[in-house]
Amino acid sequence: MNTPIPVLTIDGPSGSGKGTVSRAVAQKLGWHFLDSGAIYRSLAIAVLRAGIPVENVDEIVALAENMNLSFTTDDPPEVLLNGQDIAGEIGSETCGNAASRIAAFGPVRQALLEKQRSFRRPPGLVADGRDMGTVVFQDAGYKVFLTASAEVRALRRYKQLKDKGLDVNLINLTREIEERDRRDLERKEAPLVMAKDAVRIDSSDLDIQQVIERVFGVVASPTG
Ligand code: DC
């Protein structure tokens, strides 16, 4: 019998620390890494550039099917959309909000499914997102749901953006994060929910190193 390629899924809301933790764990395990949010964000950039309204599902799906997306193995990676480096734009709140809006459409999610699954290659994959454990890699052997309070998440995001030299307002940021959470949680298609077989880790009072250690604990004792 073929042994499936192992997958560790790390789902959770924005600002929970998923990105940093997933990357670090993938590096330590020597596994591939999928930042599925970056796929939605790249599509959002393509949509905004093409001037397509964010509710025009048919055109967004057509764009998703035709976009040529690649990630380099640098840390952080360069993201190439149709050959152009979009790493500078991908982290903005405008892009994150547009990504969250287009991600609410079932056909858009469907169009991105195979692209995400193609990241599952030996020796293993760490997949970061919202529906990695519930939809994309339902059969994953290791599942984590990483969360933190909305205040802590807004503050972390605030510091990140400030460090990048961006002019941000904590109150507006908190409001935007809550709005994005609501959209991701309440949407009909693949909403942000914890997989039944996931281990919940609340990172509000933990530092990154402590979270990484807990995630390793999950890999040491598989779910399911
Ligand atoms: O993780 P992120 O902030 O880069 O994701 C940006 C948006 O993309 C997020 O608000 C919702 C959407 N997304 C999703 O719907 N499913 C995923 N697996 C990853 C991201």
Side-chain angles (χ1 to χ4, degrees), residues 107-178:
V108 174
R109 305 195 70 83
Q110 193 62 37
L112 297 176
L113 210 51
E114 282 318 307
K115 172 83 191 155
Q116 296 175 77
R117 290 187 175 147
S118 71
F119 280 74
R120 186 174 194 168
R121 274 170 276 146
L125 175 70
V126 178
D128 156 355
R130 302 287 189 293
D131 62 342
M132 299 294 99
T134 49
V135 178
V136 183
F137 303 106
Q138 237 176 348
D139 66 331
Y142 318 99
K143 297 184 186 181
V144 167
F145 190 82
L146 187 58
T147 188
S149 70
E151 295 77 26
V152 169
R153 292 187 288 116
L155 198 59
R156 282 183 189 157
R157 191 83 187 114
Y158 175 79
K159 286 187 185 146
Q160 253 178 16
L161 295 171
K162 272 274 181 214
D163 286 347
K164 282 191 194 160
L166 296 169
D167 184 24
V168 273
N169 171 306
L170 184 58
I171 296 175
N172 289 347
L173 198 60
T174 307
R175 206 176 300 132
E176 273 174 23
I177 284 197
E178 284 171 350

Side-chain angles (χ1 to χ4, degrees), residues 11-213:
D11 289 306
S14 46
S16 56
K18 280 179 303 145
T20 314
V21 170
S22 308
R23 237 178 257 281
V25 172
Q27 200 175 20
K28 281 202 185 174
L29 291 170
W31 288 8
H32 296 279
F33 171 60
L34 165 64
D35 175 358
S36 61
I39 294 186
Y40 284 94
R41 284 171 180 266
S42 303
L43 178 59
I45 290 174
V47 167
L48 295 173
R49 283 189 179 173
I52 297 172
V54 287
E55 56 284 343
N56 191 333
V57 182
D58 291 347
E59 283 195 47
I60 298 174
V61 167
L63 209 55
E65 282 166 353
N66 293 309
M67 79 173 171
N68 184 348
L69 191 62
S70 60
F71 298 87
T72 65
T73 51
D74 310 302
D75 186 17
E78 256 182 36
V79 187
L80 301 175
L81 172 64
N82 302 326
Q84 261 190 329
D85 182 10
I86 54 165
E89 273 170 77
I90 209 165
S92 77
E93 291 305 290
T94 311
C95 175
N97 288 328
S100 156
R101 295 181 65 171
I102 62 172
F105 301 118
V108 174
R109 305 195 70 83
Q110 193 62 37
L112 297 176
L113 210 51
E114 282 318 307
K115 172 83 191 155
Q116 296 175 77
R117 290 187 175 147
S118 71
F119 280 74
R120 186 174 194 168
R121 274 170 276 146
L125 175 70
V126 178
D128 156 355
R130 302 287 189 293
D131 62 342
M132 299 294 99
T134 49
V135 178
V136 183
F137 303 106
Q138 237 176 348
D139 66 331
Y142 318 99
K143 297 184 186 181
V144 167
F145 190 82
L146 187 58
T147 188
S149 70
E151 295 77 26
V152 169
R153 292 187 288 116
L155 198 59
R156 282 183 189 157
R157 191 83 187 114
Y158 175 79
K159 286 187 185 146
Q160 253 178 16
L161 295 171
K162 272 274 181 214
D163 286 347
K164 282 191 194 160
L166 296 169
D167 184 24
V168 273
N169 171 306
L170 184 58
I171 296 175
N172 289 347
L173 198 60
T174 307
R175 206 176 300 132
E176 273 174 23
I177 284 197
E178 284 171 350
E179 196 183 313
R180 181 128 72 96
D181 280 356
R182 202 171 319 115
R183 202 163 33 224
D184 294 346
L185 284 164
E186 291 176 0
R187 69 180 179 216
K188 255 194 4 255
E189 305 291 340
L192 174 62
V193 285
M194 181 170 132
K196 284 197 190 74
D197 49 353
V199 175
R200 187 176 193 277
I201 301 176
D202 187 326
S203 72
S204 304
D205 301 315
L206 301 176
D207 64 30
I208 287 292
Q209 212 42 50
Q210 290 170 313
V211 180
I212 291 173
E213 275 160 29

